[in-house]
Amino acid sequence: MAQAMRRDTAGSLLATDGKPHPLQDTLLGVTLVLGAIAFVTAMFHNLHLLSSWTGLVGIFTGAYGQFISVTTRERFFLILGLGASAVGFFLGMAHGGLFGGLW
């Protein structure tokens, strides 16, 4: 009866250990949002400032989230956000950079 001894982890999508992780979940959400913004705005040449800065901040929040993450699910979604942030950052840098056109 090993099934009777398992914990119910259906309460949270990310916390597979049954404990709340508010800081890790917040960093995960911020990283995913920043990654999505950086990735989408990197497709437009004139939005290079937004894509490069949101990508850079997303890289830092995702890296810190990876450092303090507890569960595998958190790490998985952090990697998705980190990848999107990195693509947005590098395309934003290629289109003009962090300060391109301001000086």
Side-chain angles (χ1 to χ4, degrees):
M1 301 265 327
Q3 296 86 1
M5 297 303 291
R6 291 188 186 158
R7 287 190 201 178
D8 180 27
T9 59
S12 174
L13 176 65
L14 301 175
T16 56
D17 59 353
K19 299 175 188 174
H21 304 121
L23 178 60
Q24 290 87 351
D25 293 343
T26 303
L27 286 172
L28 169 66
V30 168
T31 303
L32 284 175
V33 168
L34 289 173
I37 291 171
F39 185 78
V40 170
T41 58
M43 304 306 163
F44 302 100
H45 189 282
N46 58 345
L47 295 177
H48 63 88
L49 289 172
L50 181 62
S51 64
S52 59
W53 279 107
T54 56
L56 183 63
V57 174
I59 289 170
F60 283 128
T61 58
Y64 184 66
Q66 281 286 350
F67 182 68
I68 65 169
S69 67
V70 178
T71 64
T72 304
R73 289 181 186 175
E74 291 169 353
R75 292 181 191 117
F76 175 76
F77 288 112
L78 279 168
I79 289 295
L80 291 178
L82 269 168
S85 295
V87 168
F89 173 70
F90 290 129
L91 286 176
M93 291 300 287
H95 289 159
L98 296 169
F99 302 107
L102 292 180
W103 302 12

